[in-house]
Amino acid sequence: MYKSSRTAACLMLGLTSSISGFSEQKVEPKQRPNIIFLLTDDQRWDGMGAMGNPIIQTPNMDALATQGILFQNAYVTTSICCVSRASVLTGLYESGHGVHDFNTDLKPDVYQKSYPHLLKEAGYKIGFIGKYGVGHHPPFHEFDFVFDTEEGGKAQPDYITIGKNGKEIHDTDTIGESILSFVDKFADQGPFCLSVSFKAPHEQDGNPPKYVIQPEYQHYYQDVTIPTPVTADPIYWEKLPDVLRTEANFGRERWKGLFGTPELYQENVKNYYRLITGVDDVVGKLRDKLESLGVADNTIIILMGDNGMFLGEHGMEGKWYGYEESVRVPLFIYAPGLPDKIKQYRAPQMALNIDIAPTILSLAGVEVPEGMHGMNLIDVVENKTPERTDFFYQHYFLGGPQIPMVEGVVGKDFKYMNYIEVDSEELFDTKHDQHEIENLAADPAYKNKLEELKKRYQELKAKYSVSAEERAKINKAF
């Protein structure tokens, strides 16, 4: 059985009434929309003005988000780039796609059900720009356009490289130029799908790591004081489970070099914001290019972060763990032909990275293979598909004490996490405790809630967990 699109016909016919009346219309290839998927690296949910951040300057993202569908509760099922990116491509949890570390490629049979491959088979021109981030042998031979910033087997692209003119160029500018080149080349060649993966706002790895900004953004935010997070107070580091509260914890180790003093905190959060503003300007130039070529009204733009980022919360820097700062990300879908009732919609429904592939395929009028774990988000916001009430969270890379393995359940009002190597539990009432301060796992008043979530955890674990044998094989070399 296949989940079919009810959206693409409406988009191409310029309809602004309900999609449902046209669910049976066949979408001809020439009618299919262009699709641009933008993936930022480590952009957390509130790293965008439209999500309520009063300081960061992201006017182009904000415009697309407020004109389209802005998801208020978007998450990743695993908060690390290699696994999350594989989930984006395939619509599968980690157990489904089999990518657990930075060295593993998608298996050919798994890639053949990814959204780029299926769109290619459906007649789309496909392009990829930036950091692929899944294994070392991307299937770039299938793509009609590639600009690979990991070329040469780099684990992470460098922010500064030497451009064609022999001068230094920042990764965000390199990607921006490549985007415009792709659109210039393929705007009139039928439907295209361009996948773009920025390095920004990921830090440049090092000891300590640092944020390498474009020089033209160095004065942004200089007269602003970034508020200190509630949980940056040392007392909240002391409240963490023993499995995390160790100097061997990578999140703690990186915190020292980036946020360990008030001065470092101000400098590096501002640089994080500056990198995001640099991406936002690329988004603005992209929109201008689409307008100039006459394809803006036929082009869908989707933006998501590959995972979140601790900016000093709980005394950490990084991601990996199940806290909101780590697992919650920005996500919007801008599609000019969507029905009026879901334009300018701040969607409360829970959305996941595994939803990107089925949503893109559905928007393109391409059948979604049975077996994808994700959902078509357009059907969700139109109430044609029941919205999810929770999801399974998993993270296995490296293991403790550097990055303890964790599984759990993220629900709308409560969250349960289990550090599986030591069986240490956390339970948070996220509706009333948004900063995840009070671990209620040992509170007798929440015994029934704990048991309820542990039962749900076992149900999801049976469906989506990676076996103990497979976890034992996961690459431990970082």
Side-chain angles (χ1 to χ4, degrees):
M1 181 178 178
Y2 285 79
K3 310 172 204 172
S4 63
S5 166
R6 287 185 287 270
T7 308
C10 192
L11 288 168
M12 293 303 95
L13 293 171
L15 300 172
T16 55
S17 57
S18 173
I19 292 172
S20 59
F22 300 89
S23 60
E24 301 305 320
Q25 291 198 33
K26 182 179 179 181
V27 186
E28 297 300 329
K30 66 181 180 181
Q31 296 176 313
R32 290 174 177 167
N34 304 314
I35 300 172
I36 298 176
F37 175 62
L38 306 174
L39 187 69
T40 52
D41 199 330
D42 288 359
Q43 185 179 4
R44 51 192 261 162
W45 73 273
D46 59 356
M48 190 166 68
M51 287 297 290
N53 189 323
I55 295 174
I56 197 166
Q57 297 177 36
T58 54
N60 297 297
M61 294 182 195
D62 296 346
L64 290 168
T66 55
Q67 293 165 21
I69 305 169
L70 176 60
F71 289 88
Q72 304 296 293
N73 297 290
Y75 293 90
V76 296
T77 53
T78 302
S79 186
I80 192 169
C81 61
C82 50
V83 179
S84 181
R85 288 159 190 264
S87 292
V88 165
L89 288 166
T90 64
L92 298 172
Y93 276 99
E94 181 172 352
S95 57
H97 58 61
V99 173
H100 310 304
D101 56 38
F102 294 92
N103 297 320
T104 303
D105 299 325
L106 281 176
K107 294 179 180 178
D109 62 321
V110 176
Y111 177 75
Q112 285 172 7
K113 294 183 179 180
S114 69
Y115 81 79
H117 180 81
L118 293 173
L119 290 183
K120 177 76 171 180
E121 286 192 330
Y124 268 72
K125 300 291 186 181
I126 61 172
F128 182 85
I129 294 170
K131 167 189 168 182
Y132 191 73
V134 180
H136 299 304
H137 306 92
F140 286 157
H141 62 280
E142 282 210 348
F143 287 73
D144 301 288
F145 183 101
V146 173
F147 186 88
D148 179 16
T149 58
E150 290 181 301
E151 193 172 11
K154 298 176 184 174
Q156 275 281 356
D158 293 323
Y159 266 117
I160 305 300
T161 56
I162 303 301
K164 295 178 181 178
N165 60 3
K167 296 182 180 180
E168 289 187 346
I169 184 169
H170 192 275
D171 185 77
T172 301
D173 295 323
T174 301
I175 288 175
E177 291 180 1
S178 297
I179 291 171
L180 300 185
S181 295
F182 175 90
V183 176
D184 270 330
K185 183 174 182 179
F186 292 100
D188 61 352
Q189 292 192 30
F192 65 74
C193 178
L194 173 62
S195 301
V196 180
S197 178
F198 293 90
K199 179 180 175 70
H202 196 290
E203 74 267 34
Q204 184 78 46
D205 288 338
N207 190 18
K210 65 178 183 176
Y211 293 104
V212 181
I213 65 170
Q214 296 146 284
E216 60 266 36
Y217 296 93
Q218 61 184 326
H219 299 301
Y220 278 60
Y221 312 113
Q222 64 179 0
D223 297 325
V224 175
T225 299
I226 308 294
T228 304
V230 171
T231 55
D233 189 295
I235 65 172
Y236 298 108
W237 164 254
E238 296 299 328
K239 290 172 73 74
L240 290 178
D242 292 344
V243 67
L244 294 180
R245 199 178 64 256
T246 165
E247 298 304 312
N249 176 348
F250 268 18
R252 185 61 170 179
E253 181 181 326
R254 294 189 175 194
W255 170 85
K256 294 175 183 177
L258 287 171
F259 306 127
T261 68
E263 293 76 19
L264 282 172
Y265 174 79
Q266 291 296 321
E267 174 188 356
N268 286 302
V269 175
K270 289 176 182 180
N271 283 340
Y272 177 84
Y273 284 6
R274 288 163 180 148
L275 285 166
I276 295 173
T277 298
V279 172
D280 186 76
D281 284 345
V282 171
V283 174
K285 292 173 183 176
L286 166 62
R287 291 198 76 183
D288 289 344
K289 174 63 73 172
L290 295 172
E291 289 284 353
S292 70
L293 296 173
V295 295
D297 290 341
N298 188 32
T299 301
I300 295 165
I301 301 175
I302 302 171
L303 180 141
M304 190 179 202
D306 70 342
N307 49 248
M309 190 70 176
F310 292 111
L311 298 177
E313 291 87 0
H314 305 283
M316 293 188 287
E317 188 269 0
K319 49 262 188 179
W320 314 304
Y321 312 121
Y323 298 95
E324 290 289 286
E325 295 87 4
S326 169
V327 300
R328 192 172 167 198
V329 294
L331 171 62
F332 64 73
I333 299 173
Y334 170 80
L338 285 175
D340 286 345
K341 66 180 180 179
I342 56 172
K343 283 183 178 177
Q344 302 180 24
Y345 181 43
R346 297 178 70 86
Q349 294 91 344
M350 188 177 282
L352 303 178
N353 54 347
I354 59 174
D355 298 332
I356 295 300
T359 300
I360 286 177
L361 292 171
S362 297
L363 287 166
V366 176
E367 291 176 321
V368 178
E370 184 181 13
M372 276 194 177
H373 298 144
M375 308 165 72
N376 172 14
L377 290 173
I378 305 302
D379 281 353
V380 172
V381 298
E382 286 209 302
N383 298 314
K384 294 174 179 175
T385 299
E387 62 178 288
R388 60 171 60 86
T389 57
D390 58 23
F391 70 92
F392 185 68
Y393 182 73
Q394 54 191 165
H395 191 290
Y396 309 115
F397 177 71
L398 199 60
Q402 295 95 340
I403 306 178
M405 294 185 182
V406 61
E407 294 177 336
V409 180
V410 179
K412 288 188 172 182
D413 297 330
F414 282 87
K415 178 185 294 183
Y416 170 79
M417 289 290 148
N418 180 28
Y419 297 93
I420 57 179
E421 294 163 292
V422 294
D423 200 26
S424 175
E425 298 176 312
E426 289 181 304
L427 175 68
F428 294 109
D429 177 357
T430 51
K431 182 177 180 179
H432 299 103
D433 179 16
Q434 296 178 355
H435 300 293
E436 297 168 305
I437 292 171
E438 296 298 332
N439 180 6
L440 305 172
D443 188 333
Y446 289 86
K447 180 180 178 181
N448 290 341
K449 178 56 70 173
L450 178 65
E451 291 304 314
E452 174 190 326
L453 283 177
K454 288 177 73 170
K455 179 180 179 182
R456 178 60 174 158
Y457 166 60
Q458 292 299 329
E459 292 172 354
L460 293 174
K461 183 181 177 74
K463 292 178 66 176
Y464 301 123
S465 180
V466 172
S467 70
E469 293 76 18
E470 195 167 2
R471 291 199 305 268
K473 299 176 183 178
I474 294 174
N475 178 20
K476 296 286 185 177
F478 186 76

